[in-house]
Amino acid sequence: TLETKVTDSAGRIKLFLPKGRYYLGLASAQYKFSNKRAGKDVYGGQIFDLLKDAYIDFKIPLSKIK
């Protein structure tokens, strides 16, 4: 299933997902995905598995396109 969501102004996104394997694709006319930052709750472009239905709450680092 493909679904579109928008981050808040700080680049955070919260989703409810059923158990399964996921990858978040990101697109913006003014920003590009940046996986330079790592840490807890920071999405770095990796595939992730949910073992049960859950809310995910990621920070998504973006870099402004020049």
Side-chain angles (χ1 to χ4, degrees):
T1 302
L2 179 63
E3 189 172 333
T4 301
K5 295 285 184 180
V6 177
T7 64
D8 66 13
S9 62
R12 295 179 300 249
I13 192 164
K14 186 171 186 175
L15 304 167
F16 181 78
L17 298 171
K19 70 179 181 175
R21 177 167 274 201
Y22 293 94
Y23 170 80
L24 300 179
L26 308 169
S28 171
Q30 298 176 353
Y31 294 88
K32 64 181 180 178
F33 177 69
S34 170
N35 59 4
K36 293 179 182 178
R37 290 185 267 165
K40 186 178 182 203
D41 300 328
V42 175
Y43 182 70
Q46 70 278 13
I47 293 173
F48 60 96
D49 293 306
L50 294 177
L51 302 178
K52 61 180 183 175
D53 298 357
Y55 278 98
I56 61 164
D57 189 3
F58 286 134
K59 297 174 187 87
I60 301 174
L62 300 173
S63 298
K64 187 146 179 96
I65 295 172
K66 296 177 182 180

